[in-house]
Amino acid sequence: MENQNKITFSRRSFIRTSALASGGILIGFNFFTSCKEAAVPPVDVSQLNFNDFNAFIKIADNGYVTIFSPNPEIGQGVKTSMPMIIAEELDVPWEHVSVEQGALDTNNFTRQVAGGSQSIRFGWDALRQTGATAKQMLVNAAAAKWGIEASSCSASNGVITSPTGETLGYGDVVNDAAQLEVPENVTLKATKDYKIIGKDAVNVDIDKIITGKPLFGLDYKAEGMTYVSVMRPPAFGQKISSFDDTNAKAINGVSDVVQFGDKIAVLASNTWAAMKGKKALDVQWTNDGTLESTADHDKKLNAILDGNQLDIRREDGNVKKAFAEADQVLERTYESPFLPHNCMEPMNFYANVTADKVHLVGPIQTPAGTARRIANLIDRDEKDIHLEMTRMGGGFGRRLYGDFALEAAEISNITKQAVKVVFSREDDMAAGIYRPAIKYRIAASLKDGKVTGYHLKEAAINNNMYGLIPHFFPAGAIDNYKVETGNYRSNITTGAWRAPYTNFLAYAEQSFFDELAELLEVDAVQLRLDLLKNVKDGQDPDIQYSAKRMTDTIKLAAEKSNWGKTREGVYQGFAAYYSHNTHVAEVVDITLKNGYPSVEKVTVAVDCGIVVNPTGAKNQVEGGVIDGIGHAMYGDFSFDKGKPQDVNFNTYRLIRMRETPTVHTYFVENDLSPTGLGEPGLPPAGGALANAIKAATGQLLLKQPFMSVLKKYETNLKV
């Protein structure tokens, strides 16, 4: 959607109070999807009365502004970029803005969620309206003082100027503005007039992060709080038969041992005692379901692909006929393992269930949904739930589910104590929730030098690709096109993992397209561009991507990477993918060192619309690329009789610092509304890497992690 200059504003969405006791105006807005926070408060705003609001702008009588964020911050940078949007339209100096994290408030906010790379996209209009409306109220108050028309005044950097050159600071009129009507119509800035948006801004929490100030869930402490370590079944498909807690209770610091369901909570005065007490438990387990193994999953998924019980997600033309008439048919099957999330900060949550209220604090991506589940679990009214969000040391989808928060609430409800559940790394990796193992079978028909048919089958553990994905590229680019899905229901818990499904599908499809280009004897980049010419934007409402935007993104990546013109010994791989409303193209440059593929450089082109904070945007893209390369290359995770085979980093391989490439990021410049960045940089990375390795070694990679195929190179790697 093109950037608007004028917009009608709903009064009912805009909340304000009269002058505050200590001076100032308090303005709140329903930030449909937000995640915002700004700089260290330059003034003491702690005495201002804002208890009736959760998400709002607060303008003090000295002209400083505080923005309260209703949504979680998981490192995606919106705690910095969202306030930049408000400050831009409010027209205050960025250094005069501070931010505080709001608590859960389902009355004033919707979609208090960090997920799907949607925060900026959904918050864009609302945040601009908020800032522009507040500015207009201040201008109206100044104009009333001067006895002139508000339209004749201007505002910039927190100062209002009359036609004759008189000036008033926002703080000079803030109390008068608090008495005025909220304007129905406000004018939004043109992009050419932006002073803050599009300029680099430092992460607002950076000083606290690097100096170790309390920010994260693990930092939270409350007086009288008891730490809890939870014993969970060691294998999926097992339950408790009996247990003896004598040795656990003998550990110094352990205060209690409580069974809840098929779990055992060890309560102690510190995490060390709680975890030591858990290890001292003598537990007998019994089977309560199938103890599944990776070898079994492999057979089940193959059977799904070979069978005819799949669900059709999209079907264009006649794929069967195209294949029957083809000069040649290419078919490949791609495989991916389960993957844990491995957030730097393990799962943790605080709960204090009392007769009056349920006080919850911790790192959670879905506060509203988690609060509802807790209310149902312990049979309490949702209005009794008070949930505060902390900053998160990574999420990647793991903190969407809130199982750790439910554990804390249930234990507190049983013991009548304030408790904090803390996972160890082993708990984190062994308890789920994992990226599901998936297989894709892709087939294409070639006739007279063109791709005439395309058939994609997905076999996944537990769930299948969400509904929009079948309408991603190459949907619309090939006349005969079909997507089918099927799944195997497992008792191993699975869920969203950064860029769900597309994190693997992009690699499979983009690797497949390189093979097609080789068969057709055309350049890999040119094949994508030729197929995109078949797509008319807007003609099919189901098509999710823009052919024009994807074409421009591909051309930018090819230009900036010097595609096809690198020095001798450098091998390139290309991939382009659309996900989370953003178009991304990547070129990976690798060299061979002692026969081992070494990723030297990744060139990334991104069309995410207007870039609010270039520094934060580049961080997201670079993080996604490195995450994608690392997991495609090394990430492996398996089960034997229901038990995870890796529970810590001594056996689970991650990318290492010296293996990370230089990432060069370029943004397509336009005035379109912003889209997501937390996830879209990851999906193309695996495909571009696979294609680069194929160019360098001739090795076709059909399975992740790539090192499971490239064992001969592993021996040359000094770990």
Side-chain angles (χ1 to χ4, degrees):
M1 184 177 65
E2 294 291 343
N3 204 21
Q4 295 174 302
N5 287 333
K6 205 167 185 67
I7 193 162
T8 301
F9 191 72
S10 169
R11 293 180 188 222
R12 288 187 298 176
S13 297
F14 203 96
I15 308 165
R16 68 178 175 85
T17 66
S18 57
L20 301 175
S22 57
I25 181 174
L26 184 65
I27 298 175
F29 187 77
N30 189 333
F31 296 160
F32 301 108
T33 307
S34 307
C35 238
K36 27 205 167 292
E37 200 151 308
V40 176
V43 293
D44 183 7
V45 296
S46 62
Q47 300 305 309
L48 294 177
N49 180 16
F50 50 84
N51 291 329
D52 293 335
F53 302 91
N54 183 36
F56 50 80
I57 300 173
K58 182 164 57 182
I59 305 175
D61 55 6
N62 62 1
Y64 282 77
V65 179
T66 295
I67 302 168
F68 284 74
S69 168
N71 279 39
E73 167 62 57
I74 54 175
Q76 77 278 48
V78 291
K79 203 172 180 181
T80 302
S81 55
M82 288 266 186
M84 292 173 69
I85 298 170
I86 292 181
E88 182 68 73
E89 293 290 352
L90 184 58
D91 234 323
V92 292
W94 177 237
E95 59 270 20
H96 287 184
V97 177
S98 62
V99 179
E100 296 180 22
Q101 177 69 57
L104 174 64
D105 185 346
T106 55
N107 292 323
N108 289 310
F109 309 113
T110 60
R111 203 183 183 277
Q112 277 187 281
V113 174
S117 300
Q118 298 296 299
S119 292
I120 292 247
R121 178 172 175 254
F122 276 88
W124 175 248
D125 288 332
L127 296 171
R128 287 189 300 155
Q129 291 170 20
T130 299
T133 302
K135 180 175 77 171
Q136 189 60 57
M137 292 172 70
L138 293 161
V139 170
N140 291 349
K145 270 194 173 186
W146 289 322
I148 59 177
E149 289 292 324
S151 59
S152 67
C153 302
S154 62
S156 180
N157 292 321
V159 176
I160 304 155
T161 305
S162 75
T164 60
E166 292 180 274
T167 61
L168 286 169
Y170 284 179
D172 297 326
V173 296
V174 64
N175 292 320
D176 293 329
Q179 313 302 319
L180 301 179
E181 286 292 315
V182 176
E184 288 284 354
N185 296 289
V186 294
T187 300
L188 301 179
K189 283 186 176 182
T191 54
K192 64 180 178 61
D193 297 324
Y194 286 164
K195 304 171 186 173
I196 297 173
I197 293 174
K199 305 296 189 299
D200 291 327
V202 175
N203 184 318
V204 296
D205 283 337
I206 193 64
D207 289 340
K208 291 181 179 179
I209 291 172
I210 63 177
T211 57
K213 299 293 192 305
L215 273 175
F216 300 92
L218 279 175
D219 297 326
Y220 185 81
K221 295 180 177 64
E223 187 175 350
M225 178 181 79
T226 298
Y227 291 91
V228 179
S229 185
V230 177
M231 170 70 81
R232 302 170 186 86
F236 290 89
Q238 289 190 325
K239 66 178 182 178
I240 293 174
S241 175
S242 63
F243 73 96
D244 184 346
D245 59 12
T246 304
N247 292 334
K249 288 182 174 179
I251 300 294
N252 185 33
V254 172
S255 58
D256 202 0
V257 176
V258 177
Q259 180 178 353
F260 63 111
D262 282 313
K263 303 174 185 178
I264 305 169
V266 178
L267 286 70
S269 57
N270 57 75
T271 53
W272 175 250
M275 292 178 182
K276 193 174 180 182
K278 181 179 70 173
K279 289 181 179 179
L281 288 169
D282 182 8
V283 187
Q284 302 302 312
W285 304 94
T286 186
N287 295 344
D288 186 38
T290 305
L291 301 182
E292 300 176 13
S293 298
T294 293
D296 301 324
H297 294 148
D298 187 63
K299 294 175 183 177
K300 296 288 186 182
L301 295 180
N302 282 336
I304 291 171
L305 293 176
D306 293 336
N308 56 7
Q309 300 298 312
L310 295 119
D311 297 320
I312 298 174
R313 297 304 183 96
R314 180 179 174 118
E315 187 172 18
D316 301 335
N318 190 329
V319 169
K320 187 175 182 180
K321 182 181 178 183
F323 278 55
E325 297 175 349
D327 297 329
Q328 187 175 2
V329 172
L330 176 69
E331 181 179 282
R332 294 284 184 253
T333 300
Y334 300 86
E335 305 175 43
S336 70
F338 289 91
L339 285 182
H341 293 80
N342 282 326
C343 308
M344 183 175 289
E345 177 193 19
M347 302 304 108
N348 65 91
F349 222 79
Y350 168 87
N352 187 15
V353 179
T354 65
D356 296 328
K357 72 173 182 177
V358 179
H359 185 201
L360 307 168
V361 185
I364 185 71
Q365 291 180 241
T366 51
T370 299
R372 283 194 299 271
R373 291 172 65 198
I374 287 173
N376 291 332
L377 176 68
I378 62 176
D379 195 23
R380 293 290 290 264
D381 195 305
E382 279 190 55
K383 65 179 176 58
D384 294 339
I385 309 292
H386 175 74
L387 192 152
E388 300 174 30
M389 292 166 278
T390 63
R391 191 178 179 100
M392 289 173 254
F396 315 116
R398 177 62 183 93
R399 299 187 203 272
L400 290 169
Y401 300 97
D403 48 293
F404 43 92
L406 269 70
E407 287 181 348
E410 187 172 4
I411 295 165
S412 177
N413 190 49
I414 292 169
T415 64
K416 307 305 177 188
Q417 297 182 56
V419 303
K420 183 172 183 178
V421 168
V422 179
F423 281 42
S424 65
R425 179 60 60 191
E426 289 82 359
D427 293 334
D428 220 17
M429 290 183 69
I433 295 166
Y434 309 104
R435 182 185 85 168
I438 297 178
K439 291 194 179 191
Y440 288 109
R441 182 168 293 167
I442 308 175
S445 57
L446 305 178
K447 178 74 172 177
D448 298 330
K450 295 185 181 300
V451 182
T452 58
Y454 189 90
H455 191 186
L456 170 69
K457 292 182 180 181
E458 177 189 75
I461 300 292
N462 290 332
N463 294 294
N464 292 112
M465 65 174 74
Y466 55 86
L468 298 179
I469 295 176
H471 309 294
F472 292 178
F473 181 82
I478 301 170
D479 290 338
N480 304 293
Y481 174 86
K482 189 175 184 178
V483 176
E484 295 182 283
T485 63
N487 69 74
Y488 167 71
R489 301 303 301 175
S490 169
N491 57 21
I492 296 171
T493 53
T494 60
W497 191 97
R498 193 176 190 176
Y501 301 98
T502 62
N503 57 55
F504 172 56
L505 176 58
Y507 140 70
E509 289 195 305
Q510 291 299 305
S511 177
F512 187 77
F513 273 109
D514 259 41
E515 273 205 88
L516 289 178
E518 189 175 347
L519 287 175
L520 293 169
E521 298 181 342
V522 298
D523 177 75
V525 170
Q526 191 59 49
L527 174 63
R528 273 83 163 182
L529 295 175
D530 290 343
L531 287 170
L532 286 165
K533 291 175 184 176
N534 299 330
V535 184
K536 303 295 185 288
D537 285 339
Q539 196 171 72
D540 182 344
D542 290 332
I543 296 294
Q544 297 297 304
Y545 63 95
S546 163
K548 181 185 182 307
R549 296 179 75 173
M550 181 61 85
T551 296
D552 292 344
T553 306
I554 289 173
K555 288 181 176 179
L556 180 61
E559 174 198 343
K560 296 298 184 181
S561 67
N562 202 27
W563 173 255
K565 302 173 185 176
T566 58
R567 70 183 189 277
E568 186 177 353
V570 175
Y571 304 89
Q572 291 187 310
F574 174 83
Y577 205 75
Y578 164 91
S579 67
H580 299 89
N581 310 103
T582 294
H583 302 77
V584 181
E586 298 179 9
V587 176
V588 167
D589 287 13
I590 71 169
T591 59
L592 294 178
K593 295 182 178 178
N594 298 321
Y596 178 78
S598 174
V599 186
E600 304 296 325
K601 182 178 74 170
V602 182
T603 304
V604 188
V606 181
D607 184 349
C608 60
I610 294 169
V611 179
V612 177
N613 179 12
T615 293
K618 288 177 182 177
N619 288 342
Q620 287 301 292
V621 172
E622 291 174 11
V625 167
I626 293 170
D627 204 8
I629 286 175
H631 282 94
M633 196 74 171
Y634 306 111
D636 202 1
F637 199 76
S638 61
F639 290 86
D640 184 35
K641 296 180 181 178
K643 190 171 184 178
Q645 296 303 285
D646 299 283
V647 294
N648 212 320
F649 298 134
N650 61 321
T651 59
Y652 183 79
R653 178 81 153 85
L654 290 171
I655 192 169
R656 284 144 191 184
M657 291 290 287
R658 61 183 174 78
E659 295 164 341
T660 59
T662 301
V663 181
H664 299 276
T665 305
Y666 303 90
F667 295 99
V668 176
E669 294 183 9
N670 56 47
D671 290 340
L672 300 173
S673 297
T675 54
L677 271 181
E679 291 163 288
L682 187 149
L689 175 60
N691 292 335
I693 293 174
K694 172 71 160 46
T697 67
Q699 177 67 60
L700 178 63
L701 300 172
L702 299 176
K703 182 178 181 178
Q704 288 187 354
F706 299 156
M707 287 310 301
S708 66
V709 179
L710 300 173
K711 292 296 185 183
K712 62 181 179 180
Y713 299 116
E714 182 99 64
T715 58
N716 296 315
L717 176 62
K718 292 184 175 18
V719 178

